[in-house]
Amino acid sequence: MSLIDPDRLPAALRELAPVVEARFAPEAHGHMARWREALGALPPLEVTAVNLGDRVTVEGAASARERQRLAELLMAFHPWRKGPFRLFGLDIDTEWRSDWKWQRVRPHLAPMDGHEALDVGSGNGYFGWRMLEAGARRVVGVDPTLVFCMQHLAVNRYIDSAANLVLPLRFEELPPAAFDSVFSMGVVYHRRDPEEHVARLFAHTRPGGQVVLESLVVPGPEPLRPPGRYARMRNVHVLPTPGLLTEWLARAGFVEARVVDVTPTTVEEQHPTAWMRFESLEHALDPADPGRTVEGHPRPVRAVAAARKPV
């Protein structure tokens, strides 16, 4: 069973259809057969309305038994990190209050009416739904973490939209294609070469298009290069200062680069839930000094930078 219709892919990405299909093959991951089985068993509930607001919501009638079955099947895709969602009265309380981040980003966007948008490191596609609400015509999300791609397929089983895609790809695998709006949120500090990542964002932004670069940051004057883990996370190579974010954007060729928000991450915004039962931010902070991580680094603060590609 093909999980993504190749005809739903943008023309510039159709050459990747065999790669996408192979990533979803039952042998591609130790849990893929179980995930595919859960996806195929989702109850055929009738959708009466869809709301792409803060809590992405699918409305429709469901009995208590159907809702319980839905919860059991969706839990097969644990951990749910980005959200929140509500499906047929079932609340999926995700680790991140991603709606709070979007509320910080949204006021600083140029109008997105009719835009083709790219969401790098999209996770389960939550932000893609918000971009559609903001007027985007189509969103292409890329994320190599297969369970997040499966979460998107589960939600989209009911929304049934070809306008928000989440593809099991690394950013580096995308062929040349230009987008009106390009988002990289929570990715750049995981890159060994962050400037190469920002240069790639530039290459995928059409002239006149906008970019949003969101990252963990540290106060100046110097970036932090953790020798081991940061807040118990692996593969954190560099935490820039807010000013360095705009420098990276300018060096790549973007103009009007500016930091539009700097916000400390709280345990209310990032927390364990029944839908994400692993350790979260509260376990990554020093209990004797919550202003620092367990490794002794400054506690997580996130900054949003925005810029434009010149015409």
Side-chain angles (χ1 to χ4, degrees), residues 6 14 35 48 61 73 89 124 126 155 167 183 215 245 253 261 310:
R14 284 180 188 159
W35 291 336
T48 58
L73 291 167
N124 61 26
Y126 171 84
V155 172
L167 304 177
F183 295 81
S215 178
L245 278 183
D261 184 84

Side-chain angles (χ1 to χ4, degrees), residues 293-311:
T293 70
V294 291
E295 301 88 2
H297 303 306
R299 69 170 291 151
V301 173
R302 307 189 77 91
V304 179
R308 181 177 59 83
K309 185 170 181 175
V311 176

Side-chain angles (χ1 to χ4, degrees), residues 3-170:
L3 298 186
I4 292 183
D5 183 351
D7 291 337
R8 287 190 166 189
L9 296 177
L13 303 184
R14 284 180 188 159
E15 67 186 68
L16 293 175
V19 177
V20 170
E21 188 64 22
R23 300 276 163 85
F24 286 130
E27 63 275 9
H29 188 282
H31 296 304
M32 183 58 73
R34 178 171 63 88
W35 291 336
R36 290 178 66 113
E37 182 180 359
L39 184 68
L42 290 173
L45 302 172
E46 182 179 354
V47 176
T48 58
V50 173
N51 186 315
L52 302 181
D54 285 349
R55 187 179 297 274
V56 173
T57 300
V58 176
E59 297 180 5
S63 67
R65 185 172 182 176
E66 288 172 326
R67 196 174 296 114
Q68 177 62 31
R69 179 61 174 158
L70 179 64
E72 292 170 355
L73 291 167
L74 293 176
M75 195 61 75
F77 309 116
H78 176 274
W80 288 77
R81 298 199 181 270
K82 293 183 181 181
F85 297 90
R86 175 176 293 152
L87 304 180
F88 305 96
L90 173 68
D91 285 324
I92 301 177
D93 183 16
T94 50
E95 177 187 20
W96 280 94
R97 286 298 305 265
S98 303
D99 52 322
W100 294 5
K101 181 184 291 188
W102 186 248
Q103 289 164 11
R104 298 193 291 267
V105 170
R106 180 71 181 90
H108 306 287
L109 297 177
M112 292 186 67
D113 295 345
H115 277 202
E116 295 263 352
L118 174 65
D119 186 8
V120 179
S122 61
N124 61 26
Y126 171 84
F127 290 116
W129 299 120
R130 307 310 308 277
M131 293 172 202
L132 294 183
E133 182 199 35
R137 184 175 70 85
R138 178 162 53 192
V139 181
V140 175
V142 290
D143 199 302
T145 305
L146 292 173
V147 69
F148 300 153
C149 300
M150 297 301 291
Q151 289 172 8
H152 173 73
L153 290 171
V155 172
N156 202 34
R157 177 61 57 92
Y158 297 109
I159 297 179
D160 191 26
S161 172
N164 181 21
L165 298 172
V166 172
L167 304 177
L169 301 170
R170 299 185 303 276

